[in-house]
Amino acid sequence: MTDGLPEFALEACGLKKTYPGTKTAPAKHALKGVDLAVPRGSIFGLLGPNGAGKSTFINIFAGLVTKTEGTAKIWGVDIDKKPREARAGIGVVPQELNMDVFFTPAETLELMAGFYGVPKAERRTDEILEAMGLSDKRNAYVRQLSGGMKRRLLVAKALVHNPPVLVLDEPTAGVDIELRRQLWEYVVELNKQGVTIVLTTHYLEEAQELCDQIAIVNHGEVVACESKDTLLKRLDKKTLVIEPAEPLEAVPAGFEGRDAVIREDGALAVTYRYGEASVAGLIETFHASGARIGDLRTEEADLEDVFLALTYQADARDAQETG
């Protein structure tokens, strides 16, 4: 710890969860011994396909699912040894819009603050409502709010006890572009104030833009957990896209044996690995073929490419083991 603060906001060691089987279905191993540590102060992305175990992982920390084995800590506090203290350190924004539609936003936040034992003098209801753009709906019934406003209210509910860790489980699902932008601006500001953010999302471009570190989970196992930059370098491929001055009838001479194709827009795309070729060398080969360059650019792997590659590898391995 530094200055009394834990190194990790969330820690899981050997975390397992098995849902019992039924007459029609076998037992499901949702988590298979997950070891994961979320650095304090980070924006941490937890990614994976549907059914990968992300929500089970989050719900164990939220106290909604009982783990089968392993240990879990929130802000350095074991959830089994000191459950109330541990859960006070986390705020969870779930996927589902779970709130009483007959309360107002202000009443909802006051009620949540009471559940967490926040003294009335220390409650920040008006401050949080203003931050989430809900001040003008303070006394409206929740049933009168739009879907986007209800999503904002979910975030507000998770912040009433000023937790050092905020978990956002698919927070922008079904949310319009403007609200998504506002939400992320507020999340980034919270992070600057020292709040650790854990994000699950299927919008991989959001994770790539926001997150410092990313873990990819598949079939209840962590298949990667690295800094975003390191993760993106896993696919050591780059593509040179050459727009010819004149249309190409075929892939130019000199590119035989390379991953070179002519795209629908007429551009030549040459994919290569770092160290195996250079842009200068590929341009020289293009010129040697007698063709002329109109324009060119390079494309690098993004998080979606890495995600698909890693989950595909995990799927292929599991199929081999069970086959």
Side-chain angles (χ1 to χ4, degrees):
M1 294 190 184
T2 304
D3 299 329
L5 297 177
E7 181 181 359
F8 299 110
L10 298 181
E11 295 176 78
C13 183
L15 201 58
K16 295 183 181 181
K17 175 58 184 179
T18 301
Y19 292 101
T22 65
K23 292 181 179 179
T24 58
K28 178 177 174 56
H29 302 288
L31 297 178
K32 303 173 183 177
V34 169
D35 295 325
L36 199 60
V38 177
R40 172 174 51 85
S42 65
I43 300 182
F44 189 95
L46 185 63
L47 310 181
N50 289 330
K54 305 185 301 297
S55 291
T56 296
F57 179 85
I58 288 171
N59 287 336
I60 287 174
F61 283 94
L64 301 176
V65 170
T66 303
K67 60 185 173 59
T68 305
E69 288 183 35
T71 61
K73 294 181 180 180
I74 301 171
W75 211 245
V77 180
D78 191 293
I79 65 171
D80 291 327
K81 296 178 180 177
K82 298 180 179 180
R84 290 183 60 132
E85 183 180 340
R87 303 265 156 58
I90 191 171
V92 179
V93 181
Q95 295 183 39
E96 300 80 13
L97 294 172
N98 56 350
M99 57 189 78
D100 194 316
V101 297
F102 295 102
F103 281 89
T104 67
E107 290 170 341
T108 299
L109 297 196
E110 285 293 311
L111 185 64
M112 286 299 298
F115 285 154
Y116 279 102
V118 180
K120 287 194 174 183
E122 298 177 15
R123 296 179 187 177
R124 304 179 300 124
T125 297
D126 289 336
E127 175 189 333
I128 295 172
L129 288 174
E130 182 177 358
M132 299 310 300
L134 292 171
S135 291
D136 59 336
K137 301 295 182 181
R138 186 184 192 282
N139 297 314
Y141 287 116
V142 169
R143 67 174 182 271
Q144 298 172 320
L145 303 182
S146 67
M149 289 179 179
K150 290 176 182 175
R151 184 71 61 181
R152 293 187 215 181
L153 185 55
L154 278 183
V155 178
K157 284 175 62 180
L159 294 172
V160 294
H161 58 300
N162 200 28
V165 185
L166 179 64
V167 178
L168 303 166
D169 192 4
E170 299 288 348
T172 56
V175 169
D176 63 63
I177 295 174
E178 179 61 21
L179 176 57
R180 189 178 301 170
R181 182 187 62 79
Q182 292 174 358
L183 179 60
W184 291 137
E185 286 178 354
Y186 185 62
V187 166
V188 169
E189 184 58 35
L190 281 175
N191 181 247
K192 289 178 181 178
Q193 295 171 14
V195 178
T196 302
I197 309 294
V198 179
L199 165 69
T200 79
T201 180
H202 283 108
Y203 298 106
L204 298 185
E205 67 277 7
E206 290 181 347
Q208 183 167 341
E209 180 179 351
L210 292 164
C211 297
D212 313 312
Q213 189 164 341
I214 293 171
I216 296 178
V217 181
N218 199 25
H219 298 301
E221 298 177 301
V222 177
V223 296
C225 182
E226 298 166 344
S227 71
K228 176 177 64 180
D229 293 339
T230 301
L231 195 61
L232 290 173
K233 290 177 182 176
R234 279 204 176 212
L235 293 186
D236 59 343
K237 290 184 178 181
K238 203 170 185 177
T239 300
L240 175 66
V241 181
I242 302 174
E243 297 180 9
E246 296 85 23
L248 297 172
E249 295 183 1
V251 174
F255 290 96
E256 300 88 351
R258 290 192 177 278
D259 184 0
V261 297
I262 297 177
R263 293 180 173 176
E264 291 183 1
D265 61 0
L268 175 70
V270 186
T271 301
Y272 62 95
R273 292 185 178 276
Y274 295 98
E276 292 183 357
S278 66
V279 172
L282 295 173
I283 292 174
E284 187 177 331
T285 301
F286 189 82
H287 281 306
S289 72
R292 294 189 303 122
I293 296 175
D295 197 3
L296 58 82
R297 66 183 184 276
T298 58
E299 297 174 350
E300 299 190 39
D302 61 14
L303 185 56
E304 182 175 352
D305 297 322
V306 179
F307 176 85
L308 291 173
L310 290 173
T311 53
Y312 173 79
Q313 290 171 6
D315 288 344
R317 186 186 67 244
D318 283 357
Q320 189 175 32
E321 290 176 352
T322 56

